[in-house]
Amino acid sequence: AIEAKPRYRGKTMKKIVLLASLLPLIAAAPAKKVQSVYEVKTVVVAPYSGVITPAAAEFIAGAVAKVNAPGGADLLVIALDTPGGLDTSMREIIKAMLASKKPVAVYVSPQGARAASAGVFISMASPLVGMAPGTNIGAAHPVVLGGLPGTGGKEKDKDKEKSAAGKDPMSEKMLNDAAAYIKSIAQKTGRNADWAIKAVRESDSIPAEEAVKLGVADFTAAGIDEFLLKADGRRAGEYGALKCSKPAVEYYRQTRRQKFLATITDPNIAMILMSLGAAGLFIELYNPGLILPGVVGAVSLVLAFYSFQTLSANFAGVALILLGFVFFIAEIKVVSYGLLTLAGAAAVLMGGLMLFNQPSLGGLSVSMSMLLTTVIGLIAVVAGVAYIALRAQLNRVVTGIESLKDKRGLAKTALAPKGTVLVEGELWEAESVSGDIPAGAEVAVTAVEGFKVRVRAAK
């Protein structure tokens, strides 16, 4: 028994040492993550249907800002229906969504809608995606105006710039960039990154039910009420599990300004504006003084440059306001019967709509009433100046040769029909327009032609 003690103590010490060595590992092991609950009491729904343009980016970014403002709603739902759009505008939307401190969900609706091209990227950037029955998502291959770069037929396949595989390097560059971008945002939000890459590289498009099976969407919902019902209890990324127990729903609509900008940025409208601009200036240059073609052409060109994204809304707004002031100044010098004034007012109004965002979300803005008051004031000032200038032009001439008209004089010689008359103390060669006039008779001047006057017998 005495000899067994050291052996027993040695085993005990070994166990203590082993336990001590495992303590750091046990302490470093992550604790079981407790799923947080994100309570949703208020919801803002922002419906958008159309091409993704700067106007769309402004609208959706405005909705995100509204939710994140003090006292804002707990959840934003973007009800999306889009065939795609501009890459720059799409990225602005995604940056706003990812920077949001509150969850931004995407609901592809109504039934029959789609989230194609840029719409796929926007959907992938959301932690919660729902789709209405009969909708589809996909076909996100990057394209440019005029079609895909590098798909111009056999002749273009022989282009020196193309690689040995027959692919356009610029097209490959765009494709790889888009694939990497959609993969990064899909991984961040927990979406199916493999399918997202397939949608970009192979233009794959799938219906709503298949999107749910593949993890592209979370569920299908026939309306916003069902969307919120099915969102209840679902995890929305880092925000935790949503608790949507009959939240209050508020709709965020596009302003008139945003609808106007969305209309003129439509590719078809942009092409019409460019054609009108070129035709208007061409007609005005060939027929100076018509006014209307030049005015319409100048305004149309500025709007076309904005539509094609050559000019931003800020630059286009400033250009239109400056163009309006040019029209106002020209009204004083050119007789346009008010056409230049109206054109200037329209240009200033459109420029103000582009330049200043409405309603204000904390940034630089101007109220519509103030804008209209300014435009009306400018019209009144220009109209007043034009009226004064017109009155000055219509006043009778009181000096010079032109002032002789309607003045009375005496016939120094008989006019049969030519002779000499005395008018304003000067002798003038005269010609009668009312028959023969005897010498000494009173005459009245009817017109002045160079150094000769036409007269008639005074009544």
Side-chain angles (χ1 to χ4, degrees), residues 232-408:
D232 187 28
R234 289 195 177 265
R235 185 168 182 83
E238 60 188 13
Y239 303 98
L242 300 180
K243 183 180 179 181
C244 303
S245 180
K246 296 182 179 180
V249 178
E250 175 189 353
Y251 281 83
Y252 181 80
R253 306 287 185 181
Q254 285 181 287
T255 62
R256 293 191 188 94
R257 171 186 177 274
Q258 290 167 341
K259 290 179 180 179
F260 168 72
L261 295 181
T263 300
I264 65 174
T265 50
D266 183 274
N268 298 314
I269 301 298
M271 198 65 219
I272 293 173
L273 288 172
M274 181 61 74
S275 301
L276 282 176
L281 293 183
F282 180 80
I283 294 172
E284 186 65 33
L285 289 174
Y286 268 80
N287 300 274
L290 292 180
I291 307 298
L292 182 61
V295 167
V296 173
V299 174
S300 297
L301 274 184
V302 175
L303 293 177
F305 286 140
Y306 167 74
S307 300
F308 286 123
Q309 301 309 299
T310 304
L311 292 176
S312 66
N314 289 338
F315 282 112
V318 171
L320 283 172
I321 291 174
L322 292 177
L323 187 62
F325 287 139
V326 170
F327 290 157
F328 287 145
I329 295 171
E331 178 65 48
I332 301 173
K333 298 291 185 180
V334 180
V335 180
S336 67
Y337 302 101
L339 181 59
L340 285 172
T341 300
L342 294 177
V348 171
L349 184 60
M350 286 188 290
L353 289 174
M354 286 187 173
L355 191 59
F356 297 108
N357 184 15
Q358 276 290 328
S360 173
L361 290 172
L364 181 65
S365 65
V366 64
S367 66
M368 181 60 68
S369 59
M370 179 60 71
L371 182 59
L372 290 175
T373 302
T374 302
V375 172
I376 293 172
L378 285 172
I379 294 175
V381 170
V382 174
V385 173
Y387 173 75
I388 294 172
L390 183 61
R391 282 286 303 270
Q393 291 180 356
L394 295 178
N395 285 341
R396 285 189 60 182
V397 181
V398 294
T399 61
I401 296 176
E402 291 79 5
S403 65
L404 294 178
K405 186 178 179 182
D406 295 331
K407 291 291 181 67
R408 293 179 177 269

Side-chain angles (χ1 to χ4, degrees), residues 204-251:
D204 190 30
S205 184
I206 53 177
E209 291 74 13
E210 188 176 347
V212 174
K213 292 179 182 178
L214 293 178
V216 176
D218 295 296
F219 51 81
T220 59
I224 191 63
D225 292 335
E226 186 177 348
F227 178 93
L228 295 175
L229 182 64
K230 290 188 175 182
D232 187 28
R234 289 195 177 265
R235 185 168 182 83
E238 60 188 13
Y239 303 98
L242 300 180
K243 183 180 179 181
C244 303
S245 180
K246 296 182 179 180
V249 178
E250 175 189 353
Y251 281 83

Side-chain angles (χ1 to χ4, degrees), residues 25-44:
L25 297 177
I26 296 172
K32 186 177 180 180
K33 192 172 183 180
V34 179
Q35 182 170 331
S36 59
V37 176
Y38 183 86
E39 189 170 2
V40 178
K41 295 182 178 179
T42 54
V43 177
V44 170

